[in-house]
Amino acid sequence: MLSFKIRHLAVLSLALTLIATGCNSNKTPSNAGSSAPASSGSTEPPAAGTDVKADKLDIKVSFYPMYEFTKNIVGDLADVETLIPAGVEPHDWEPTAQDMAEISAADVLVYNGAGMEGWAQQVIGSASGTPLVAVEASKGLNIMEGAEEEEEDHTGAEDDHSHEEGEHANEGHDHGGLDPHVWLAPSLAIKEVQTITAALSAASPENASTFKSNSDAYIAKLEQLDRDFKEGLKDTKRKDFITQHAAFGYLAKEYGLTQVPIAGLSPEQEPSAAQMAGIVEFAKAHDVKTIFFETLVSSSVADTVAREIGAKTAVLNPIEGLTDEDRSSNLDYLSIMRKNLEALKTALSE
């Protein structure tokens, strides 16, 4: 990144020299100065079709929830770009050499942490010596242990053990046995937004007041969502739900529910025959009528269990990325979470 800036400073210096020597003596100094923003702006490539101010933050974020949280904080005062392409399962993504170079050239990297982005620590380490500010949104939260394999007891109760920040660096796709899906509980999404806001305000103190104002407005929406979840789920007929992917442990814990995952934290993990038998037995014993699956991965496991017990399937979206349908419908984190709430209320009232 340093060599990149030096090259452009050299270009800018040459341009100013040519202007100074080639212009008439009655040119005012402001004429030379007026060319500086164009050269300055070119040192940080903008998003396609946009004109970036030299002092705009260049922010890279790992995946969709981090994009929405960050964008609602910075508004138009920064360029925010998602590293993981739309429609790609984040658990499977690894950065290319080009991605790593772009991250190193950025001002800020925002990622969830807790093992969600197994590549993060390596990338941050490779950017050592650059001004990159790395923001781990889940920092300071109690991170739950996740069950990669459910044993005979399919109660779905979440392990109460938690880990403070610092114990979950450098995990791979299995998250190191930790559950990273904190953004799926609105109450915890609020804390992630607050963490991102504080870091961005430190990185761009001249914009801190605006960031705080934007953040407060977005948090007010998240607080209303949190209240709606509490109210909507407090008096349901049942409290347990079966899902293909063990992504909803924080949501369950925050709102008094019990997640019963068919498999583990990885959405593509195939359950064993014993796990399938245990889930089917649990579903029959508890008269479960809905099996939840998710977007971005195959629903075949949920379909199999549903056929076995005569239940239906429905989507419970972990919001790890937007589908084409989500984007065409202009859905975002708030609207998808409301869909999740309605899906849970329906299934838990059957």
Side-chain angles (χ1 to χ4, degrees):
M1 180 176 180
L2 181 58
S3 62
F4 179 84
K5 290 185 176 178
I6 290 173
R7 287 198 303 272
H8 284 275
L9 284 173
V11 171
L12 178 58
S13 176
L14 176 60
L16 291 175
T17 301
L18 289 173
I19 290 170
T21 58
C23 296
N24 293 329
S25 59
N26 61 352
K27 284 275 190 180
T28 64
S30 62
N31 293 115
S34 67
S35 67
S39 295
S40 175
S42 67
T43 64
E44 292 184 0
T50 63
D51 184 17
V52 181
K53 295 180 180 178
D55 59 350
K56 264 193 172 184
L57 285 177
D58 176 13
I59 303 175
K60 297 293 187 286
V61 300
S62 56
F63 67 118
Y64 177 71
M66 299 302 103
Y67 172 85
E68 174 150 339
F69 297 167
T70 302
K71 189 63 178 174
N72 274 281
I73 295 165
V74 302
D76 295 328
L77 294 178
D79 285 314
V80 185
E81 183 180 66
T82 306
L83 292 166
I84 301 176
V88 173
E89 222 298 317
H91 298 77
D92 300 330
W93 186 83
E94 290 287 343
T96 64
Q98 180 178 342
D99 292 322
M100 294 180 72
E102 290 181 357
I103 294 169
S104 294
D107 297 306
V108 180
L109 169 66
V110 178
Y111 66 108
N112 181 75
M116 182 66 186
E117 303 92 343
W119 45 266
Q121 295 304 317
Q122 179 184 355
V123 171
I124 294 167
S126 72
S128 177
T130 74
L132 179 70
V133 175
V135 183
E136 184 171 16
S138 65
K139 184 175 183 178
L141 297 180
N142 288 335
I143 303 302
M144 298 193 303
E145 290 181 1
E148 282 295 329
E149 292 185 356
E150 297 294 320
E151 303 299 335
E152 295 97 33
D153 179 13
H154 287 279
T155 63
E158 296 298 325
D159 194 330
D160 288 333
H161 296 296
S162 60
H163 293 267
E164 291 296 335
E165 169 60 19
E167 296 181 13
H168 52 265
N170 220 12
E171 267 77 39
H173 287 156
D174 65 357
H175 312 302
L178 302 177
D179 185 348
H181 302 88
V182 292
W183 67 89
L184 289 170
S187 54
L188 300 182
I190 291 169
K191 295 180 180 180
E192 290 204 299
V193 171
Q194 291 170 336
T195 296
I196 297 169
T197 302
L200 294 179
S201 296
S204 182
E206 67 274 19
N207 293 314
S209 177
T210 301
F211 290 168
K212 178 65 164 56
S213 178
N214 291 344
S215 177
D216 287 347
Y218 186 61
I219 286 174
K221 296 177 182 179
L222 292 173
E223 288 173 339
Q224 182 59 57
L225 182 65
D226 177 43
R227 288 192 292 270
D228 291 342
F229 263 79
K230 288 175 179 174
E231 181 65 26
L233 298 174
K234 69 177 183 179
D235 294 323
T236 54
K237 177 181 176 181
R238 65 170 72 242
K239 295 297 181 182
D240 47 64
F241 62 97
I242 296 178
T243 181
Q244 181 170 310
H245 174 199
F248 300 93
Y250 293 98
L251 184 154
K253 184 176 181 180
E254 291 292 302
Y255 303 109
L257 305 179
T258 300
Q259 172 187 235
V260 185
I262 298 174
L265 291 171
S266 174
E268 294 180 345
Q269 180 183 340
E270 291 291 333
S272 67
Q275 286 176 295
M276 289 289 282
I279 286 290
V280 168
E281 180 181 352
F282 177 90
K284 289 179 177 179
H286 293 79
D287 196 25
V288 174
K289 294 181 171 60
T290 300
I291 306 297
F292 286 113
F293 68 98
E294 67 179 73
T295 55
L296 301 184
V297 296
S298 171
S299 63
S300 60
V301 173
D303 292 336
T304 299
V305 174
R307 282 195 302 270
E308 180 70 22
I309 65 174
K312 64 179 182 294
T313 60
V315 170
L316 199 59
N317 195 334
I319 324 182
E320 293 177 349
L322 297 182
T323 64
D324 291 339
E325 183 179 352
D326 293 335
R327 292 193 299 276
S328 64
S329 300
N330 293 318
L331 297 182
D332 58 11
Y333 173 87
L334 293 168
S335 54
I336 293 173
M337 284 301 296
R338 291 194 179 281
K339 282 178 170 286
N340 283 344
L341 174 57
E342 292 306 313
L344 284 168
K345 285 166 62 176
T346 298
L348 298 176
S349 298
E350 295 173 327

